[in-house]
Amino acid sequence: LANLMDVPVNEVITKCIQSGIFVSINQRLEADIIELIAAEYGYDVEFISAEEEIAVEIEEEEDNPEDLVPRPPVVTVMGHVDHGKTSLLDYIRNTNVTAKEAGGITQHIGAYSVTTADGKKITFLDTPGHEAFTAMRARGAKVTDVAIIVVAADDSVMPQTIEAINHAQAAGVPIVIAINKIDKPTANPDRIKEQLAKINILVEEWGGPYQCQHVSAKTGEGIDELLEKVLLEAELLELKANPKRKASGTVIEAALDKGKGYVATLLVQNGTLHVGDIVLAGTHYGRVKAMTDHTGKRLKEAGPSTPVQVLGLNGAPQAGDKFNVMESDKEAREIANKREQILREQRIRASERISLETLSRRRALGDYKQLNLIVKGDVDGSVEALSDALLKLSKPDEIEVRIVHRGVGQITESDVNLAAVSDAIIIGFQVRPSANAKKLAEQEHVEIRLYSVIYDVINEVKDAMEGMLAPTV
Ligand code: GDP
């Protein structure tokens, strides 16, 4: 702040102390204090969010139109449980990936690329279901170009089918319908199309805009045609990228491997990533020591829409974090550290606020009981609906349900920290904790409960409340 206003740091510190705020040079000031101090020097303050602050620091060069070349589409497979998402992904991987060529076995790295019979490429995200899709979206990442919605022909359009369609549509991602298990004698694809029509998904064959393909993930019937339809849909999008620039993209997954260190799967979305590049991903960074594809084949470089596993980061970034190639190690480290600091401060601020609140409330309430909850869900709508239903469980003068925090996306370490300081239970609806959050929850004895049906949440919370109300012996 002192630098921005071009005044000595000590003067700013003195001003703070005069206002009763004791600060040191390394401390970040609260927004209202910044405003107060700046006003004394005649400045108006405009705040930008932490994310913007970070985004501002990473200069994204404009692409020269003549550098843009077509890139393969990135595809997500979504649909109801047991309708065959995993089988479909496995079938496509096993038939279209030449593992032998690399002398390796295909491994799960979170994404893979295939080449179709007529030599076209498609990249698949290998985590089926819409949890991964929404978790990424919640972090602001847009990775998917086309969504395949799988519906089993021997079953029906199910709640999760509808949810998957809603998620894809909310993200503006075109849909291709795959009616799976067509090999089964009980398959009835017309019934599925009828049910889809009822939710406004009218397939082409019936005069609607949605491409639809009968497939069997067991026999492979229709799968080539499905891929063609995906490519057709992708063509309309005119997907392009500039392989000549420094790489940027999204973290698909990351983990700590005992032998190799931190291993991250990155989807290059623009530019070309090289071995030796300095990568900044979320709050972590490092030089790419080695790069492999999903067959284990070593790569020297990877262009747009290529998923690669990289070694060399100094930690595991979160799925959905953006990554950028930076000019220098120093630059990457500075931004990573700044992001880390901002996150840490956000956590501390949240915990201070909550613990104080809890403390004073407890004092004021005396014997009064309250159940604190943190609600995380996959979509805004369900988080709101669930929170409302939970709040209604409060019984005046007996027990109060308090939602300390609600949000969309994966359960994170900061959720767990918040739960720890506010004695809250975390309710995850159609979302899971990150690996780190899970570890932290175990350490801090924070309870995380996962659900996929709203009704179950309500019932169990009700039971828990009765437990709290039961006389203690
Ligand atoms: P997911 O939960 O959507 O990932 O579904 P899975 O891929 O695990 O499939 C659920 C079950 O359906 C498994 O037992 C599969 O073997 C079976 N299945 C999947 N696709 C087909 C298919 O095309 N035909 C038949 N007969 N069974 C299938």
Side-chain angles (χ1 to χ4, degrees):
L1 177 63
N3 286 344
L4 283 173
M5 299 192 302
D6 199 18
V7 297
V9 177
N10 286 342
E11 221 180 283
V12 172
I13 293 182
T14 312
K15 279 255 177 351
C16 287
I17 294 176
Q18 281 165 357
S19 315
I21 305 140
F22 291 87
V23 293
S24 72
I25 191 164
N26 293 320
Q27 200 169 328
R28 292 172 71 92
L29 299 173
E30 293 284 344
D32 47 350
I33 298 163
I34 294 177
E35 271 178 340
L36 195 84
I37 304 293
E40 292 207 22
Y41 289 96
Y43 287 99
D44 271 341
V45 182
E46 189 193 335
F47 291 97
I48 56 175
S49 71
E51 287 80 30
E52 282 178 74
E53 184 182 335
I54 291 161
V56 169
E57 295 202 39
I58 296 169
E59 268 177 52
E60 296 259 348
E61 330 138 32
E62 281 280 312
D63 286 311
N64 202 336
E66 61 252 29
D67 290 336
L68 293 175
V69 297
R71 65 163 177 87
V74 180
V75 178
T76 302
V77 176
M78 301 196 274
H80 195 74
V81 64
D82 279 347
H83 279 192
K85 299 178 292 292
T86 314
S87 308
L88 189 64
L89 280 164
D90 286 350
Y91 187 92
I92 295 170
R93 181 178 33 212
N94 293 337
T95 46
N96 295 62
V97 167
T98 40
K100 276 172 256 122
E101 205 175 280
I105 337 147
T106 57
Q107 39 187 329
H108 173 93
I109 67 163
Y112 62 82
S113 279
V114 298
T115 309
T116 64
D118 21 332
K120 297 225 170 84
K121 283 193 167 171
I122 306 178
T123 299
F124 279 89
L125 295 182
D126 203 3
T127 321
H130 55 259
E131 293 84 357
F133 181 78
T134 18
M136 295 231 183
R137 261 206 351 122
R139 302 182 67 78
K142 187 180 183 307
V143 244
T144 304
D145 299 307
V146 178
I148 294 179
I149 306 286
V150 179
V151 198
D154 64 337
D155 199 3
S156 318
V157 167
M158 299 294 277
Q160 276 181 299
T161 318
I162 298 174
E163 261 184 61
I165 292 172
N166 289 342
H167 283 307
Q169 289 187 329
V173 171
I175 289 171
V176 175
I177 305 282
I179 301 187
N180 189 32
K181 307 201 188 183
I182 205 74
D183 59 286
K184 283 198 160 185
T186 48
N188 186 352
D190 275 347
R191 190 185 52 217
I192 303 294
K193 288 174 201 166
E194 212 175 285
Q195 292 169 344
L196 286 170
K198 282 200 187 119
I199 55 165
N200 276 327
I201 302 291
L202 198 60
V203 298
E204 266 185 344
E205 188 192 339
W206 290 10
Y210 292 95
Q211 296 199 77
C212 173
Q213 179 62 45
H214 296 183
V215 297
S216 165
K218 193 176 170 192
T219 67
E221 182 187 339
I223 290 186
D224 283 343
E225 291 82 353
L226 175 68
L227 298 185
E228 271 166 34
K229 287 181 177 170
V230 165
L231 285 167
L232 207 67
E233 207 61 59
E235 250 168 52
L236 299 175
L237 299 172
E238 296 185 18
L239 303 167
K240 288 195 171 142
N242 172 8
K244 289 186 183 162
R245 63 186 283 163
K246 285 199 299 263
S248 62
T250 300
V251 176
I252 302 298
E253 57 178 52
L256 178 62
D257 180 290
K258 280 199 192 94
K260 298 182 197 158
Y262 289 99
V263 187
T265 297
L266 307 179
L267 174 69
V268 179
Q269 290 175 287
N270 205 1
T272 300
L273 183 64
H274 308 88
V275 170
D277 280 348
I278 307 276
V279 168
L280 167 70
T283 55
H284 301 286
Y285 68 99
R287 188 182 291 275
V288 177
K289 278 195 282 193
M291 193 154 72
T292 47
D293 68 7
H294 59 279
T295 66
K297 186 166 96 184
R298 288 224 170 207
L299 302 175
K300 282 213 169 69
E301 52 176 45
S305 295
T306 314
V308 284
Q309 203 172 48
V310 304
L311 301 183
L313 290 183
N314 68 345
Q318 277 192 283
D321 276 342
K322 268 214 76 130
F323 82 83
N324 292 83
V325 167
M326 309 302 290
E327 284 294 347
S328 70
D329 200 55
K330 179 167 168 280
E331 191 188 10
R333 183 177 54 238
E334 275 171 10
I335 299 178
N337 288 346
K338 197 169 282 174
R339 287 175 174 175
E340 184 59 47
Q341 191 189 357
I342 290 169
L343 273 180
R344 200 165 45 229
E345 280 165 9
Q346 281 171 349
R347 277 201 292 269
I348 293 171
R349 233 171 276 149
S351 65
E352 277 169 356
R353 195 166 56 231
I354 295 305
S355 58
L356 283 181
E357 236 175 71
T358 319
L359 203 73
S360 59
R361 279 184 81 88
R362 279 209 186 124
R363 252 192 235 134
L365 295 174
D367 232 352
Y368 192 92
K369 310 226 174 149
Q370 77 183 26
L371 178 63
N372 290 340
L373 299 174
I374 290 176
V375 180
K376 292 298 288 273
D378 55 345
V379 275
D380 243 348
S382 53
V383 172
E384 290 309 311
L386 186 55
S387 303
D388 286 350
L390 288 168
L391 288 169
K392 286 202 189 110
L393 294 176
S394 295
K395 293 184 188 149
D397 300 327
E398 275 186 78
I399 181 163
E400 187 198 1
V401 175
R402 225 161 59 86
I403 312 268
V404 226
H405 172 65
R406 61 178 88 174
V408 173
Q410 206 183 25
I411 299 166
T412 63
E413 284 165 275
S414 80
D415 294 326
V416 175
N417 283 323
L418 190 59
V421 294
S422 53
D423 272 338
I425 295 171
I426 302 179
I427 306 279
F429 183 71
Q430 305 266 31
V431 293
R432 288 193 190 92
S434 69
N436 288 341
K438 209 166 154 190
K439 237 182 279 158
L440 188 64
E442 278 162 19
Q443 268 168 33
E444 300 281 334
H445 304 287
V446 166
E447 188 176 358
I448 300 181
R449 292 171 157 268
L450 305 175
Y451 300 90
S452 50
V453 181
I454 290 199
Y455 181 80
D456 290 341
V457 189
I458 306 295
N459 273 345
E460 287 199 16
V461 170
K462 234 190 208 160
D463 285 350
M465 286 167 63
E466 265 151 37
M468 286 174 78
L469 291 170
T472 46
V473 191

